Amino acid sequence: MTNATGPSRVTRLSVSVAINPTTFHFTLPPGHRPQFAPLKEELHPAFGWLTKNRARSRRRDVFESIDTIVIHATAGFATEHAVDTWKERKASAHWIIPDENEAEHGHFIWATVAEAKAAYHVGNVDYEPILGEGPNVNDRSLGVELVNTQNVEYYRDPYSLWQIDMLARIVLYAWAKYPNLKHVISHASLDPSRRTDPGENFPWEVFKDKVLTQSVLEERHPLVLAASDKSVPPDTDNLNLAVTDRAGHCCEP
């Protein structure tokens, strides 16, 4: 088994007491959006097909509409199992986080549907008491799948530390990118009569802490910080205005 730092034993996270996954929901505090949240993702080979055939237009501007991110688990053993299931059914999500038995684990996550499209990851449920008034859940949300069996046939499959770190990074990435993102919620919380994912063994409090403290973010490169700190010379605006006047306002909207 290998991970991002070379051959080693994978760290798995198990919870001492099972927690009802229908309670998994927290909101992101206004005014604390990260400015920098890189994402180690690669386009899955089926990305184009899934985006075309297992997603739809959001009907609204994606930048304004996204206010929710939904956490799922595959109830299977591998990324390809989830993708094959999506192809057979009308289902999808925006990202898949591989588990510890896959070569990608410790290196990158898979992007499976374009963020601009609404993936088919939540069914027709009564979401307003939880999320408040707004468009269909799929139109307003992003979906993330973690490869994990949950408790299928009583097989307990602890999540790896890397999976939880990457999930937290996805949330931070989306929070930095979409100004209206507010809800972080489990599939079970949205659809408790039919769904249990990400399962009672998911370390929700550990994940929540990583998001809210932003402890999983990498430091920005010093050159980026130096560039962002540069101030505009005081006479620059006047110079630009003069050029614009001489050009007859050619470049104004």
Side-chain angles (χ1 to χ4, degrees), residues 8-29:
S8 67
R9 182 171 296 175
V10 174
T11 301
R12 296 177 176 86
L13 296 177
S14 58
V15 295
S16 56
V17 178
I19 303 175
N20 184 352
T22 64
T23 65
F24 293 170
H25 179 204
F26 65 90
T27 58
L28 301 171

Side-chain angles (χ1 to χ4, degrees), residues 5-6 9 26 45 69 78 102 142 146 177 180 188 203 210 230:
T5 58
R9 182 171 296 175
F26 65 90
I69 189 161
E102 299 184 86
L142 296 165
L146 296 109
K177 188 172 183 179
N180 295 324
K210 288 176 180 291
K230 290 181 180 178

Side-chain angles (χ1 to χ4, degrees), residues 154-203:
Y154 305 102
Y155 177 82
R156 300 177 72 86
D157 182 13
Y159 289 88
S160 75
L161 175 60
W162 180 82
Q163 285 184 303
I164 304 306
D165 283 351
M166 294 308 295
L167 180 61
R169 289 186 187 181
I170 290 175
V171 174
L172 292 169
Y173 159 84
W175 191 12
K177 188 172 183 179
Y178 301 105
N180 295 324
L181 185 64
K182 178 181 180 181
H183 299 279
V184 182
I185 192 166
S186 69
H187 195 190
S189 184
L190 280 174
D191 197 354
S193 66
R194 300 191 311 126
R195 296 292 182 256
T196 61
D197 52 322
E200 61 183 14
N201 297 312
F202 182 84

